[in-house]
Amino acid sequence: MEDIFDIAGKEARSAELEKMMAKQDFWENQEASRDVLKERSELNGIIQTWRTLSGDIEDNELLFEMAVEEEDESNLKEVQRKLKELQKKYRDIELLQMLSDEDDNKNAIVTVNAGAGGTEAQDWTEMLLRMYLRWCERKKFKVEMVDLLEGEEAGIKNVTFTVSGTYAYGMLKAESGVHRLVRISPFDASGRRHTSFAAVLVFPELDDKIEIEIKQSDLRVDTYRASGAGGQHVNKTSSAVRLTHLPTGIVAQCQNEKSQHRNRDIALKILKSRLYDRERRAQQAKMQETHDNLDEIAWGNQIRSYVMQPYRLVKDHRTNVEKGNVESVLDGELDDFIEAFLLNSIITREGASGVA
Protein backbone atom coordinates (compact mmCIF):
# COMPACT_ATOMS: atom_id res chain seq x y z
CA MET A 1 0.00 0.00 0.00
CA GLU A 2 2.94 2.31 0.65
CA ASP A 3 3.78 2.28 -3.07
CA ILE A 4 0.21 3.29 -3.94
CA PHE A 5 0.55 6.49 -1.92
CA ASP A 6 4.15 7.09 -3.08
CA ILE A 7 5.40 7.59 0.48
CA ALA A 8 9.01 7.12 -0.67
CA GLY A 9 8.55 9.93 -3.21
CA LYS A 10 7.04 12.20 -0.59
CA GLU A 11 9.90 11.49 1.81
CA ALA A 12 12.43 12.27 -0.94
CA ARG A 13 10.68 15.56 -1.71
CA SER A 14 10.56 16.46 1.99
CA ALA A 15 14.29 15.82 2.29
CA GLU A 16 14.87 18.03 -0.75
CA LEU A 17 12.89 20.84 0.89
CA GLU A 18 14.91 20.38 4.10
CA LYS A 19 18.10 21.02 2.11
CA MET A 20 16.59 24.18 0.62
CA MET A 21 15.69 25.40 4.11
CA ALA A 22 19.26 24.82 5.32
CA LYS A 23 20.70 27.31 2.80
CA GLN A 24 21.85 30.65 4.24
CA ASP A 25 19.78 32.75 1.84
CA PHE A 26 16.56 30.75 2.37
CA TRP A 27 14.81 33.40 4.50
CA GLU A 28 15.73 36.32 2.22
CA ASN A 29 12.68 35.68 0.05
CA GLN A 30 9.78 35.59 2.50
CA GLU A 31 7.21 34.59 -0.11
CA ALA A 32 9.23 31.66 -1.49
CA SER A 33 10.19 30.45 1.98
CA ARG A 34 6.54 30.49 3.04
CA ASP A 35 5.61 28.29 0.07
CA VAL A 36 8.39 25.82 0.89
CA LEU A 37 7.33 25.64 4.54
CA LYS A 38 3.72 25.03 3.54
CA GLU A 39 4.62 22.23 1.11
CA ARG A 40 6.95 20.61 3.63
CA SER A 41 4.26 20.77 6.32
CA GLU A 42 1.70 19.14 4.04
CA LEU A 43 4.10 16.38 2.96
CA ASN A 44 5.22 15.64 6.50
CA GLY A 45 1.60 15.54 7.60
CA ILE A 46 0.81 12.82 5.06
CA ILE A 47 4.02 10.91 5.85
CA GLN A 48 3.38 11.00 9.60
CA THR A 49 -0.25 9.98 9.12
CA TRP A 50 0.90 7.02 7.02
CA ARG A 51 3.54 5.97 9.54
CA THR A 52 1.04 6.11 12.40
CA LEU A 53 -1.51 4.19 10.34
CA SER A 54 1.03 1.50 9.43
CA GLY A 55 2.00 1.05 13.08
CA ASP A 56 -1.65 0.86 14.15
CA ILE A 57 -2.38 -1.76 11.46
CA GLU A 58 0.50 -3.93 12.69
CA ASP A 59 -0.66 -3.60 16.31
CA ASN A 60 -4.20 -4.56 15.35
CA GLU A 61 -2.98 -7.59 13.43
CA LEU A 62 -1.04 -8.79 16.50
CA LEU A 63 -4.08 -8.23 18.72
CA PHE A 64 -6.23 -10.21 16.29
CA GLU A 65 -3.78 -13.14 16.29
CA MET A 66 -3.72 -13.15 20.08
CA ALA A 67 -7.50 -12.94 20.31
CA VAL A 68 -7.96 -15.87 17.95
CA GLU A 69 -5.31 -17.95 19.68
CA GLU A 70 -6.78 -17.28 23.15
CA GLU A 71 -10.41 -17.25 21.93
CA ASP A 72 -10.82 -13.88 23.63
CA GLU A 73 -14.17 -12.35 22.60
CA SER A 74 -13.47 -8.98 24.22
CA ASN A 75 -10.24 -8.56 22.24
CA LEU A 76 -11.99 -9.59 19.03
CA LYS A 77 -14.54 -6.82 19.60
CA GLU A 78 -11.68 -4.40 20.23
CA VAL A 79 -10.06 -5.48 16.94
CA GLN A 80 -13.33 -4.77 15.10
CA ARG A 81 -13.63 -1.34 16.73
CA LYS A 82 -10.07 -0.40 15.82
CA LEU A 83 -10.53 -1.74 12.30
CA LYS A 84 -13.32 0.80 11.69
CA GLU A 85 -11.05 3.59 12.91
CA LEU A 86 -8.21 2.38 10.64
CA GLN A 87 -10.54 2.25 7.65
CA LYS A 88 -11.53 5.88 8.28
CA LYS A 89 -7.86 6.95 8.50
CA TYR A 90 -7.07 5.04 5.31
CA ARG A 91 -9.92 6.80 3.51
CA ASP A 92 -8.57 10.16 4.67
CA ILE A 93 -5.21 9.38 3.06
CA GLU A 94 -6.98 8.18 -0.10
CA LEU A 95 -8.85 11.47 -0.19
CA LEU A 96 -5.60 13.44 -0.09
CA GLN A 97 -4.32 11.39 -3.04
CA MET A 98 -7.30 12.55 -5.10
CA LEU A 99 -6.41 16.20 -4.51
CA SER A 100 -3.78 16.63 -7.20
CA ASP A 101 -5.07 19.61 -9.18
CA GLU A 102 -2.98 22.77 -9.23
CA ASP A 103 -5.30 24.75 -6.94
CA ASP A 104 -6.46 21.98 -4.62
CA ASN A 105 -4.08 22.92 -1.79
CA LYS A 106 -5.27 26.54 -1.73
CA ASN A 107 -7.66 28.09 0.74
CA ALA A 108 -11.25 28.52 -0.44
CA ILE A 109 -13.65 31.41 -0.93
CA VAL A 110 -17.26 30.25 -0.57
CA THR A 111 -20.39 32.17 -1.56
CA VAL A 112 -23.95 30.96 -0.92
CA ASN A 113 -26.82 32.75 -2.69
CA ALA A 114 -30.55 32.23 -2.05
CA GLY A 115 -32.47 31.29 -5.18
CA ALA A 116 -36.10 30.61 -6.02
CA GLY A 117 -38.30 30.35 -2.94
CA GLY A 118 -38.27 33.74 -1.19
CA THR A 119 -38.07 33.51 2.62
CA GLU A 120 -37.90 29.73 2.33
CA ALA A 121 -34.78 29.96 0.15
CA GLN A 122 -33.19 32.49 2.49
CA ASP A 123 -33.76 30.17 5.44
CA TRP A 124 -32.28 27.33 3.35
CA THR A 125 -29.21 29.50 2.67
CA GLU A 126 -28.73 29.96 6.41
CA MET A 127 -29.05 26.18 6.90
CA LEU A 128 -26.36 25.59 4.28
CA LEU A 129 -24.09 28.14 5.95
CA ARG A 130 -24.46 26.26 9.24
CA MET A 131 -23.76 22.96 7.46
CA TYR A 132 -20.48 24.26 6.03
CA LEU A 133 -19.44 25.87 9.31
CA ARG A 134 -19.99 22.55 11.06
CA TRP A 135 -18.00 20.71 8.38
CA CYS A 136 -15.15 23.20 8.73
CA GLU A 137 -15.25 22.77 12.49
CA ARG A 138 -14.90 18.99 12.06
CA LYS A 139 -11.91 19.55 9.77
CA LYS A 140 -10.42 22.14 12.15
CA PHE A 141 -10.44 24.68 9.30
CA LYS A 142 -10.42 28.41 10.01
CA VAL A 143 -13.44 30.37 8.76
CA GLU A 144 -13.66 34.15 8.31
CA MET A 145 -16.86 35.94 7.33
CA VAL A 146 -16.45 38.43 4.51
CA ASP A 147 -19.98 39.54 3.66
CA LEU A 148 -23.47 38.62 4.85
CA LEU A 149 -26.85 40.03 3.80
CA GLU A 150 -29.76 38.97 5.98
CA GLY A 151 -33.26 38.37 4.66
CA GLU A 152 -36.12 40.74 5.45
CA GLU A 153 -38.11 38.17 7.45
CA ALA A 154 -35.67 35.33 8.13
CA GLY A 155 -32.56 33.63 6.88
CA ILE A 156 -29.80 34.97 4.65
CA LYS A 157 -29.95 36.32 1.10
CA ASN A 158 -26.26 35.73 0.46
CA VAL A 159 -23.06 35.14 2.37
CA THR A 160 -19.37 34.98 1.50
CA PHE A 161 -16.68 33.49 3.74
CA THR A 162 -13.13 32.21 3.44
CA VAL A 163 -11.97 28.77 4.58
CA SER A 164 -8.31 28.27 5.49
CA GLY A 165 -6.83 24.81 5.86
CA THR A 166 -4.97 22.02 4.08
CA TYR A 167 -6.70 21.29 0.74
CA ALA A 168 -9.70 23.45 1.70
CA TYR A 169 -10.48 24.37 -1.92
CA GLY A 170 -9.77 20.86 -3.21
CA MET A 171 -12.49 19.44 -0.99
CA LEU A 172 -15.00 22.29 -1.02
CA LYS A 173 -15.03 22.55 -4.82
CA ALA A 174 -17.27 19.47 -4.68
CA GLU A 175 -19.99 21.71 -3.23
CA SER A 176 -20.21 24.13 -6.18
CA GLY A 177 -23.68 24.02 -7.66
CA VAL A 178 -27.38 24.40 -6.89
CA HIS A 179 -28.66 22.74 -3.71
CA ARG A 180 -32.36 21.87 -3.46
CA LEU A 181 -34.41 21.48 -0.27
CA VAL A 182 -37.87 19.87 -0.01
CA ARG A 183 -39.68 20.16 3.34
CA ILE A 184 -42.83 21.22 5.16
CA SER A 185 -42.41 24.97 5.41
CA PRO A 186 -42.09 26.42 8.93
CA PHE A 187 -43.28 29.70 7.40
CA ASP A 188 -46.50 28.25 5.93
CA ALA A 189 -49.43 28.23 8.36
CA SER A 190 -51.13 25.62 6.18
CA GLY A 191 -48.24 23.19 6.60
CA ARG A 192 -47.67 22.74 2.88
CA ARG A 193 -44.57 21.24 1.31
CA HIS A 194 -42.15 23.74 -0.27
CA THR A 195 -39.11 23.44 -2.53
CA SER A 196 -36.24 25.89 -2.08
CA PHE A 197 -32.97 26.47 -3.89
CA ALA A 198 -29.59 28.01 -3.11
CA ALA A 199 -26.41 28.21 -5.16
CA VAL A 200 -22.98 27.51 -3.73
CA LEU A 201 -19.92 28.94 -5.51
CA VAL A 202 -16.42 27.95 -4.45
CA PHE A 203 -13.23 29.63 -5.66
CA PRO A 204 -9.54 29.07 -4.84
CA GLU A 205 -8.04 31.92 -2.85
CA LEU A 206 -5.14 33.30 -4.86
CA ASP A 207 -1.59 33.17 -3.61
CA ASP A 208 0.22 36.52 -3.56
CA LYS A 209 2.55 35.21 -6.26
CA ILE A 210 -0.32 34.90 -8.77
CA GLU A 211 -0.85 38.26 -10.43
CA ILE A 212 -4.21 39.21 -11.91
CA GLU A 213 -4.18 42.62 -13.59
CA ILE A 214 -7.39 44.64 -13.39
CA LYS A 215 -7.60 47.97 -15.18
CA GLN A 216 -9.04 50.77 -13.09
CA SER A 217 -11.23 51.73 -16.06
CA ASP A 218 -12.79 48.24 -15.88
CA LEU A 219 -13.67 48.63 -12.21
CA ARG A 220 -16.66 50.33 -10.62
CA VAL A 221 -16.33 51.02 -6.90
CA ASP A 222 -19.40 51.59 -4.75
CA THR A 223 -19.38 52.28 -1.02
CA TYR A 224 -22.35 51.87 1.30
CA ARG A 225 -23.22 51.48 4.95
CA ALA A 226 -22.70 48.03 6.39
CA SER A 227 -25.71 46.11 7.70
CA GLY A 228 -26.21 43.31 10.20
CA ALA A 229 -23.92 42.47 13.09
CA GLY A 230 -20.86 44.62 13.53
CA GLY A 231 -21.06 46.77 16.64
CA GLN A 232 -21.46 50.53 16.92
CA HIS A 233 -19.63 51.19 13.67
CA VAL A 234 -22.39 49.62 11.60
CA ASN A 235 -24.66 52.01 9.66
CA LYS A 236 -22.69 55.12 10.72
CA THR A 237 -20.15 55.38 7.89
CA SER A 238 -19.99 54.07 4.34
CA SER A 239 -17.29 51.51 5.09
CA ALA A 240 -18.69 48.61 3.05
CA VAL A 241 -17.28 48.26 -0.47
CA ARG A 242 -18.73 46.70 -3.62
CA LEU A 243 -16.51 46.16 -6.66
CA THR A 244 -17.97 45.45 -10.11
CA HIS A 245 -15.75 44.19 -12.93
CA LEU A 246 -17.47 45.83 -15.88
CA PRO A 247 -16.24 43.51 -18.70
CA THR A 248 -17.51 40.36 -16.97
CA GLY A 249 -20.17 41.70 -14.62
CA ILE A 250 -18.57 39.86 -11.69
CA VAL A 251 -19.28 41.52 -8.35
CA ALA A 252 -17.33 41.19 -5.11
CA GLN A 253 -18.12 42.97 -1.88
CA CYS A 254 -17.04 43.11 1.74
CA GLN A 255 -18.57 44.80 4.77
CA ASN A 256 -17.10 42.79 7.63
CA GLU A 257 -14.22 45.16 8.47
CA LYS A 258 -14.58 48.61 10.03
CA SER A 259 -12.07 50.15 7.64
CA GLN A 260 -13.23 50.99 4.12
CA HIS A 261 -9.67 50.46 2.92
CA ARG A 262 -9.54 46.97 4.47
CA ASN A 263 -12.94 46.07 2.99
CA ARG A 264 -11.73 47.20 -0.44
CA ASP A 265 -8.60 45.05 -0.18
CA ILE A 266 -10.61 41.96 0.73
CA ALA A 267 -13.20 42.60 -2.00
CA LEU A 268 -10.42 43.05 -4.55
CA LYS A 269 -8.83 39.77 -3.46
CA ILE A 270 -12.15 37.98 -3.92
CA LEU A 271 -12.67 39.61 -7.31
CA LYS A 272 -9.24 38.52 -8.50
CA SER A 273 -9.90 34.98 -7.28
CA ARG A 274 -13.17 34.86 -9.19
CA LEU A 275 -11.56 36.19 -12.36
CA TYR A 276 -8.74 33.67 -12.03
CA ASP A 277 -11.24 30.87 -11.45
CA ARG A 278 -13.33 31.99 -14.43
CA GLU A 279 -10.33 31.86 -16.75
CA ARG A 280 -9.10 28.54 -15.36
CA ARG A 281 -12.49 26.93 -15.77
CA ALA A 282 -12.88 28.30 -19.29
CA GLN A 283 -9.71 26.44 -20.23
CA GLN A 284 -11.10 23.23 -18.71
CA ALA A 285 -14.63 23.60 -20.05
CA LYS A 286 -14.50 20.32 -21.97
CA MET A 287 -13.64 18.35 -18.85
CA GLN A 288 -15.91 19.75 -16.14
CA GLU A 289 -18.89 21.97 -15.41
CA THR A 290 -18.20 25.62 -14.77
CA HIS A 291 -19.67 28.01 -12.26
CA ASP A 292 -21.04 30.05 -15.15
CA ASN A 293 -23.61 27.29 -15.80
CA LEU A 294 -25.48 28.38 -12.66
CA ASP A 295 -27.56 30.98 -14.50
CA GLU A 296 -30.80 29.96 -12.81
CA ILE A 297 -30.93 28.80 -9.21
CA ALA A 298 -34.02 26.66 -9.70
CA TRP A 299 -35.40 23.40 -11.10
CA GLY A 300 -33.22 21.27 -13.37
CA ASN A 301 -29.87 22.66 -12.24
CA GLN A 302 -29.47 21.10 -8.79
CA ILE A 303 -26.42 18.98 -7.98
CA ARG A 304 -27.86 17.69 -4.71
CA SER A 305 -31.33 17.32 -3.21
CA TYR A 306 -32.15 17.34 0.50
CA VAL A 307 -35.62 15.82 0.91
CA MET A 308 -37.29 15.96 4.33
CA GLN A 309 -40.87 15.32 3.19
CA PRO A 310 -42.58 12.95 2.19
CA TYR A 311 -39.45 10.80 2.79
CA ARG A 312 -36.00 11.60 4.16
CA LEU A 313 -33.04 11.40 1.80
CA VAL A 314 -30.05 13.42 0.63
CA LYS A 315 -28.98 12.51 -2.91
CA ASP A 316 -26.10 13.84 -5.00
CA HIS A 317 -27.26 13.76 -8.61
CA ARG A 318 -23.69 13.73 -10.01
CA THR A 319 -22.51 10.62 -8.18
CA ASN A 320 -25.81 9.02 -7.01
CA VAL A 321 -24.49 8.89 -3.44
CA GLU A 322 -27.43 8.82 -1.02
CA LYS A 323 -27.78 9.37 2.73
CA GLY A 324 -30.94 8.67 4.69
CA ASN A 325 -29.84 10.60 7.77
CA VAL A 326 -30.61 14.14 6.58
CA GLU A 327 -29.85 15.66 10.00
CA SER A 328 -26.29 14.31 10.06
CA VAL A 329 -25.61 15.76 6.60
CA LEU A 330 -26.99 19.15 7.60
CA ASP A 331 -24.78 18.87 10.68
CA GLY A 332 -21.69 18.80 8.45
CA GLU A 333 -21.15 15.14 7.53
CA LEU A 334 -20.23 15.76 3.90
CA ASP A 335 -17.14 13.59 3.43
CA ASP A 336 -18.90 10.76 1.56
CA PHE A 337 -20.31 13.22 -1.00
CA ILE A 338 -16.97 14.99 -1.40
CA GLU A 339 -15.00 11.77 -1.76
CA ALA A 340 -17.40 10.38 -4.37
CA PHE A 341 -17.22 13.62 -6.35
CA LEU A 342 -13.41 13.62 -6.36
CA LEU A 343 -13.26 9.96 -7.37
CA ASN A 344 -15.77 10.58 -10.15
CA SER A 345 -13.75 13.58 -11.34
CA ILE A 346 -10.60 11.45 -11.56
CA ILE A 347 -12.41 8.75 -13.54
CA THR A 348 -13.89 11.38 -15.87
CA ARG A 349 -10.52 13.07 -16.35
CA GLU A 350 -8.73 9.78 -17.08
CA GLY A 351 -11.50 8.79 -19.48
CA ALA A 352 -11.21 12.10 -21.32
CA SER A 353 -7.44 11.69 -21.54
CA GLY A 354 -7.87 8.21 -22.96
CA VAL A 355 -10.25 9.44 -25.63
CA ALA A 356 -7.89 12.25 -26.52
Side-chain angles (χ1 to χ4, degrees):
M1 288 190 295
E2 186 170 335
D3 292 339
I4 296 175
F5 297 113
D6 190 27
I7 298 301
K10 289 178 172 58
E11 288 176 334
R13 176 57 179 166
S14 181
E16 182 181 333
L17 295 175
E18 291 278 3
K19 291 180 180 178
M20 293 173 60
M21 292 172 60
K23 294 181 179 179
Q24 291 184 348
D25 61 347
F26 175 74
W27 298 104
E28 292 181 5
N29 188 327
Q30 292 287 329
E31 190 174 304
S33 61
R34 185 173 63 247
D35 293 340
V36 170
L37 288 172
K38 181 180 179 181
E39 183 182 356
R40 174 176 166 271
S41 176
E42 291 171 354
L43 286 171
N44 287 348
I46 296 173
I47 293 168
Q48 185 56 48
T49 300
W50 173 256
R51 287 174 178 169
T52 302
L53 178 61
S54 298
D56 290 344
I57 291 173
E58 291 180 4
D59 291 343
N60 211 37
E61 287 176 346
L62 289 174
L63 183 60
F64 174 71
E65 292 173 2
M66 291 173 56
V68 171
E69 185 177 338
E70 299 173 4
E71 297 183 354
D72 189 330
E73 287 293 330
S74 63
N75 275 342
L76 282 174
K77 290 180 179 179
E78 179 66 11
V79 167
Q80 290 178 330
R81 186 190 67 79
K82 287 187 175 181
L83 183 59
K84 290 182 179 179
E85 292 180 358
L86 294 172
Q87 287 173 332
K88 175 63 169 65
K89 291 179 180 178
Y90 183 84
R91 284 180 61 189
D92 289 343
I93 298 179
E94 274 191 319
L95 182 61
L96 292 179
Q97 286 298 110
M98 299 178 193
L99 300 169
S100 58
D101 288 348
E102 180 182 0
D103 296 318
D104 282 348
N105 66 342
K106 290 183 171 64
N107 296 330
I109 298 172
V110 183
T111 296
V112 188
N113 295 310
T119 301
E120 272 287 325
Q122 293 166 20
D123 187 56
W124 174 222
T125 299
E126 186 169 19
M127 291 169 66
L128 285 174
L129 172 61
R130 179 187 179 277
M131 181 179 76
Y132 292 126
L133 293 180
R134 292 287 290 158
W135 180 83
C136 290
E137 183 181 333
R138 292 170 185 269
K139 294 294 181 183
K140 295 181 171 54
F141 286 171
K142 179 183 178 182
V143 175
E144 290 188 19
M145 288 293 164
V146 173
D147 188 66
L148 188 151
L149 180 60
E150 297 178 348
E152 286 86 357
E153 297 181 25
I156 297 171
K157 288 185 177 180
N158 56 69
V159 59
T160 298
F161 56 95
T162 61
V163 181
S164 304
T166 303
Y167 293 103
Y169 171 72
M171 287 185 272
L172 280 170
K173 68 183 181 183
E175 295 302 298
S176 281
V178 175
H179 295 245
R180 168 178 170 252
L181 173 69
V182 180
R183 65 171 177 175
I184 298 296
S185 172
F187 305 101
D188 189 331
S190 301
R192 291 173 295 184
R193 189 166 69 241
H194 284 246
T195 299
S196 309
F197 300 88
V200 178
L201 305 177
V202 183
F203 311 96
E205 186 178 75
L206 293 190
D207 296 330
D208 294 336
K209 62 185 179 182
I210 299 177
E211 295 185 4
I212 301 294
E213 183 178 353
I214 300 178
K215 297 178 181 178
Q216 284 299 318
S217 58
D218 291 339
L219 202 61
R220 188 177 73 224
V221 181
D222 297 307
T223 58
Y224 57 99
R225 291 183 178 181
S227 61
Q232 296 180 349
H233 187 79
V234 172
N235 292 327
K236 291 191 176 182
T237 62
S238 298
S239 60
V241 176
R242 180 185 298 110
L243 302 180
T244 304
H245 187 246
L246 299 176
T248 61
I250 292 176
V251 177
Q253 59 191 39
C254 182
Q255 63 168 327
N256 202 51
E257 302 293 329
K258 292 184 178 181
S259 163
Q260 184 183 113
H261 180 73
R262 177 63 177 155
N263 280 329
R264 189 183 190 282
D265 287 344
I266 294 174
L268 185 60
K269 188 172 186 178
I270 293 173
L271 179 60
K272 288 182 177 180
S273 291
R274 295 191 65 173
L275 289 171
Y276 170 77
D277 183 75
R278 183 177 185 272
E279 178 61 27
R280 183 180 62 85
R281 288 180 177 274
Q283 294 172 358
Q284 299 174 348
K286 294 182 180 180
M287 300 179 65
Q288 65 184 39
E289 292 181 346
T290 69
H291 292 319
D292 295 333
N293 288 334
L294 303 177
D295 292 331
E296 184 180 1
I297 313 174
W299 282 102
N301 296 314
Q302 64 267 15
I303 62 163
R304 191 180 301 152
S305 293
Y306 307 70
V307 182
M308 305 181 75
Q309 187 71 25
Y311 53 89
R312 306 183 73 79
L313 183 72
V314 180
K315 179 175 181 178
D316 195 296
H317 303 292
R318 302 162 300 178
T319 62
N320 290 323
V321 170
E322 298 180 352
K323 290 283 183 180
N325 191 340
V326 181
E327 286 76 13
S328 68
V329 175
L330 293 176
D331 201 38
E333 292 188 9
L334 300 172
D335 286 350
D336 287 342
F337 296 107
I338 291 173
E339 183 176 335
F341 171 83
L342 293 173
L343 181 59
N344 188 62
S345 297
I346 291 174
I347 294 172
T348 302
R349 184 165 61 240
E350 290 178 349
S353 299
V355 171

